Amino acid sequence: MSLERSYMTKPTRAPVVPTLLVRAEPSRYVSAERASELEALGFCVRAIPGAGHCVWYGRMGDFLRVLDGWV
């Protein structure tokens, strides 16, 4: 069982409100497969290549760019 699957509950339906997930790429916590599943459910998923778990830490410019068009 992967770390991701051991503690996360999978949503079974689309989010009720617009929902953005910003993930590192690659991510130890949200795999590319899981990101695709979330997108199929209606989540907006954006990635920051090379970021760590705290995607804004040390990558503030990249983090703000993925928010373009969202906020």
Side-chain angles (χ1 to χ4, degrees):
M1 177 181 293
S2 73
L3 176 63
E4 172 192 342
R5 303 262 187 236
S6 66
Y7 70 91
M8 289 183 65
T9 302
K10 285 186 167 190
T12 57
R13 59 183 177 177
V16 177
V17 296
T19 305
L20 172 65
L21 170 72
V22 180
R23 64 183 285 274
E25 189 174 297
S27 174
R28 181 176 162 187
Y29 301 100
V30 182
S31 67
E33 175 187 76
R34 183 65 178 136
S36 293
E37 291 171 355
L38 291 170
E39 286 178 321
L41 286 170
F43 291 77
C44 179
V45 179
R46 297 183 181 172
I48 299 177
H53 175 65
C54 296
V55 294
W56 61 89
Y57 187 77
R59 301 251 182 187
M60 183 57 76
D62 293 331
F63 178 72
L64 292 173
R65 276 188 284 285
V66 300
L67 297 180
D68 281 349
W70 180 260
V71 289

